[in-house]
Amino acid sequence: MAYQHPIDMRLKPPQPYKRVITPSSLYKANCPRCTWMSYWHGFAIPANLALQQQMSRLQEGSFDGVPNSFISSDLPEGFASLYKGKFASKAIVVNGEETRWKLYGELDLLSENKDGTYSVIDGKVSMKKDAEDLAEGYWKQLEAYVVMLENPEAGEPKKISTIGLLQWRIDGAVDLKEPRRGFTVEERYIPVARNPEGFRQFIESFISVIEGEFPDSGKDCYDCKFLKQIEFYKD
């Protein structure tokens, strides 16, 4: 039996459901339709990330206050700290005009470096083996944090010198004292190359999508294929 949502998701309401752009939402921005429905109607197909979220909290907490050399020799000399708490950027400017959109979110770890700069360190619990593939999926999120920190809505700006991912990848199990067992993880820091111009072009395109009308699905979007299968809306 087809499911019909009580609200026609193809229609744009007077105001968007979301009032800010969250860095985490940029990860799935490859599908314009899902992005558009998320920002105008708050629509999302939920994922069960309870285990991943718990491991992420443990990961982030274990690196609070450690020297950067403990994480990676690729980082400048300094100390990493938890940087929890929501913060926002100034309004995003497109073609010389301020938009209604700001970047708003929460960072995992921020390193204060000896040279006076800062480094963004984003923790990821992921099973991906290819470092370049992981970096390609998250560089936009990292650049969003840079914009937020260098162009804050409030407070002093911070100069960001490096960005990167701190990955935990589950790779085994260990025997502990009964009745406990443990997992082992491969841990690695993945430096990510800065791409501010690429991010500027991306965020302008992202805003044009969410400010436009109901868009086409992204190529090979499994969520959209599922919604079409259950006749969530009529194309």
Side-chain angles (χ1 to χ4, degrees), residues 24-25 27-28 44-60 123-127 138 141 170 223:
S24 59
S25 71
Y27 179 71
K28 294 188 69 176
I45 295 179
N48 185 0
L49 301 175
L51 177 60
Q52 185 178 9
Q53 290 170 346
Q54 176 63 19
M55 291 189 68
S56 293
R57 284 192 289 268
L58 293 171
Q59 178 195 39
E60 295 154 13
K124 296 297 176 192
V125 176
S126 171
M127 293 304 293
Y138 287 106
Q141 184 174 338
I170 299 173
D223 289 352

Side-chain angles (χ1 to χ4, degrees), residues 68 71-76 107 109-111 113 117-124 131 134-150 158-167 188-199:
N68 288 350
I71 299 174
S72 173
S73 60
D74 289 315
L75 284 165
L107 179 63
L109 294 162
L110 184 70
S111 163
N113 303 326
T117 67
Y118 294 81
S119 296
V120 171
I121 305 170
D122 197 30
K124 296 297 176 192
L134 194 66
E136 177 60 28
Y138 287 106
W139 74 268
K140 301 180 188 72
Q141 184 174 338
L142 290 168
E143 286 289 352
Y145 290 133
V146 174
V147 172
M148 294 162 65
L149 290 163
E150 293 190 337
K158 293 177 169 60
K159 176 61 179 176
I160 308 302
S161 58
T162 67
I163 58 177
L165 302 170
L166 180 59
Q167 182 191 13
R188 59 178 174 176
Y189 175 77
I190 304 170
V192 177
R194 292 294 316 280
N195 189 4
E197 177 59 22
F199 182 75

Side-chain angles (χ1 to χ4, degrees), residues 189-213:
Y189 175 77
I190 304 170
V192 177
R194 292 294 316 280
N195 189 4
E197 177 59 22
F199 182 75
R200 182 191 66 79
Q201 296 176 13
F202 164 79
I203 202 67
E204 288 183 2
S205 175
F206 185 91
I207 290 174
S208 71
V209 167
I210 57 179
E211 287 288 10
E213 299 302 321

Side-chain angles (χ1 to χ4, degrees), residues 37-92:
M37 290 194 299
S38 171
Y39 274 82
W40 285 97
H41 294 286
F43 173 82
I45 295 179
N48 185 0
L49 301 175
L51 177 60
Q52 185 178 9
Q53 290 170 346
Q54 176 63 19
M55 291 189 68
S56 293
R57 284 192 289 268
L58 293 171
Q59 178 195 39
E60 295 154 13
S62 65
F63 290 97
D64 184 24
V66 304
N68 288 350
S69 58
F70 184 79
I71 299 174
S72 173
S73 60
D74 289 315
L75 284 165
E77 187 177 355
F79 285 84
S81 299
L82 281 173
Y83 200 74
K84 294 300 184 181
K86 303 288 186 180
F87 62 109
S89 72
K90 295 177 181 176
I92 298 170

